[in-house]
Amino acid sequence: MSTRQFQTLRRHTFKLASAGLLCAAITPALASDYPTRSVSLIASAAPGGTTDIAARMIAEPLGKALGQTVVVDNKPGASGNIAAQFVLRSQPDGYNLLLQYSGFQVITPHVQTNVEFDPVNDFEPVANVLSAPQVIVIRPGLPINSLQELVEYAKANPGKLNYASSGNGSLQHVATELLNQMAEIKTVHIPYKGTGPALTDLLGGSVDMTITTPPPLLPHIQAGKLRALAVTGAQRIDSLPDVPTVAEAGFPDLLIASWFAMYAPKDTPRPVVDKLAGEIEQIMKTDAFRQQAAKLGADAEFMGPDTLRKYTQAELDRWGQVVRSANITAE
């Protein structure tokens, strides 16, 4: 080893040791005083989609529980990379948190070549906030009234149907490509920077269909502006009782759910993480939160830090197999 290399290693080791001592010194203070100012909750998608809805559902009651304002800050784009990188570059002190969509956390790393974060090792998991099945919807102008009719139409008109997603590598992208594989059809992918913009163009007739979670879709389905074909859960949902499951529609293996979870930067002190998780758990047990989730066609399914870490890894492995078997790549 050269003298220069040794000096560089020594400086690096000193910095790591200093950081460790600093972290050990401030952890008790953080545990007792946190938070002493407002907290930013970085949502990885644009306003209007389920990621944004989940962030706002938890931000207000969490702010009241913590005694400080929790501000939702939308940073969409790059399939979750922009939001994730912002949080990873933040101080690990609990004041910048990530509300991440599962598709970006566990699918994007398998699809995109430019992902700059490790979905398991670069974050401290805090809590899962919301889980929801997907709903397959189309614009009403199409002569399609069921999932089977969608397949028949796509086979008769190869490449004519297009679909919107919240970005390359999103669950919407992979789920639709999985449907393409299962049904042996071809639909054209049009990625957006979040569900909100995708939904805007779907409602405007610029795109034909999408697969996404119920919350942003329900008002438009109920108003007749979108037509729901199937739900990707094991059971029908109360908010769409007349919409069949994918199993009922002939595709029992198309069971897909999204989840929306909170993460902190790596090395955020565990007492801070535990405080956040504890408050979130209590909020999610309330009738108000559970009823709000149910109205949106979602579930208030809490997972704490350790469970969420294991679940993130399991989902990363599961969707990696799906992406490889379906030969899904970024467009």
Side-chain angles (χ1 to χ4, degrees):
M1 180 183 295
S2 69
T3 301
R4 182 176 181 180
Q5 287 174 324
F6 176 77
Q7 290 174 341
T8 300
L9 178 61
R10 185 179 179 183
R11 285 196 302 269
H12 182 64
T13 303
F14 178 77
K15 287 180 180 179
L16 288 175
S18 299
L21 289 171
L22 179 62
C23 184
I26 66 175
T27 294
L30 283 172
S32 60
D33 298 338
Y34 173 84
T36 59
R37 53 186 171 85
S38 64
V39 175
S40 292
L41 182 55
I42 311 301
S44 61
T50 310
T51 306
D52 177 67
I53 292 171
R56 295 180 192 282
M57 276 181 64
I58 201 66
E60 183 177 358
L62 182 59
K64 290 179 180 178
L66 295 173
Q68 296 287 345
T69 304
V70 177
V71 181
V72 176
D73 184 1
N74 298 86
K75 293 189 181 297
S79 297
N81 265 296
I82 292 174
Q85 283 299 311
F86 180 87
V87 172
L88 290 181
R89 288 194 297 266
S90 302
Q91 289 294 321
D93 54 13
Y95 288 96
N96 282 295
L97 305 169
L98 175 67
L99 200 292
Q100 182 68 294
Y101 157 53
S102 59
F104 292 158
Q105 192 74 0
V106 299
I107 297 178
T108 296
H110 295 296
V111 178
Q112 299 278 6
T113 58
N114 61 343
V115 174
E116 298 178 356
F117 65 88
D118 183 311
V120 176
N121 297 314
D122 281 349
F123 297 94
E124 301 297 341
V126 177
N128 188 58
V129 173
L130 210 62
S131 298
Q134 309 284 295
V135 182
I136 303 172
V137 294
I138 61 168
R139 58 181 179 85
L142 292 169
I144 297 169
N145 293 288
S146 68
L147 184 55
Q148 189 57 47
E149 288 184 8
L150 172 70
V151 172
E152 292 170 359
Y153 183 90
K155 286 183 176 179
N157 301 274
K160 183 175 181 179
L161 285 176
N162 56 39
Y163 70 93
S165 83
S166 59
N168 285 320
S170 65
L171 187 58
Q172 298 151 324
H173 175 198
V174 174
T176 312
E177 290 301 320
L178 188 58
L179 172 62
N180 285 343
Q181 292 281 331
M182 289 180 174
E184 298 181 342
I185 60 175
K186 173 63 179 176
T187 58
V188 179
H189 180 212
I190 302 178
Y192 289 81
K193 291 183 178 180
T195 301
L199 189 55
T200 296
D201 273 9
L202 179 61
L203 291 166
S206 299
V207 289
D208 299 318
M209 62 177 284
T210 194
I211 300 179
T212 193
T213 47
L217 299 176
L218 288 176
H220 307 296
I221 294 171
Q222 292 160 353
K225 296 179 180 179
L226 293 175
R227 184 177 300 145
L229 304 182
V231 175
T232 66
Q235 289 110 21
R236 297 191 184 197
I237 58 176
D238 292 342
S239 49
L240 294 171
D242 297 326
V243 178
T245 66
V246 284
E248 293 173 316
F251 291 88
D253 294 329
L254 197 63
L255 289 173
I256 300 165
S258 293
W259 42 275
F260 303 85
M262 187 183 295
Y263 296 86
K266 183 177 175 60
D267 296 326
T268 298
R270 184 59 187 249
V272 172
V273 171
D274 286 342
K275 184 172 185 177
L276 287 165
E279 297 294 357
I280 291 170
E281 183 177 17
Q282 294 307 309
I283 291 166
M284 291 178 65
K285 286 180 178 179
T286 63
D287 290 340
F289 190 93
R290 299 182 75 84
Q291 289 170 6
Q292 186 179 5
K295 287 180 181 178
L296 295 171
D299 297 317
E301 184 180 343
F302 175 80
M303 289 182 226
D306 296 331
T307 302
L308 179 57
R309 183 180 297 280
K310 293 176 182 176
Y311 187 67
T312 302
Q313 182 65 65
E315 284 282 272
L316 185 70
D317 295 341
R318 176 201 176 199
W319 287 107
Q321 293 177 356
V322 171
V323 168
R324 290 188 292 272
S325 65
N327 195 29
I328 297 168
T329 59
E331 297 176 9

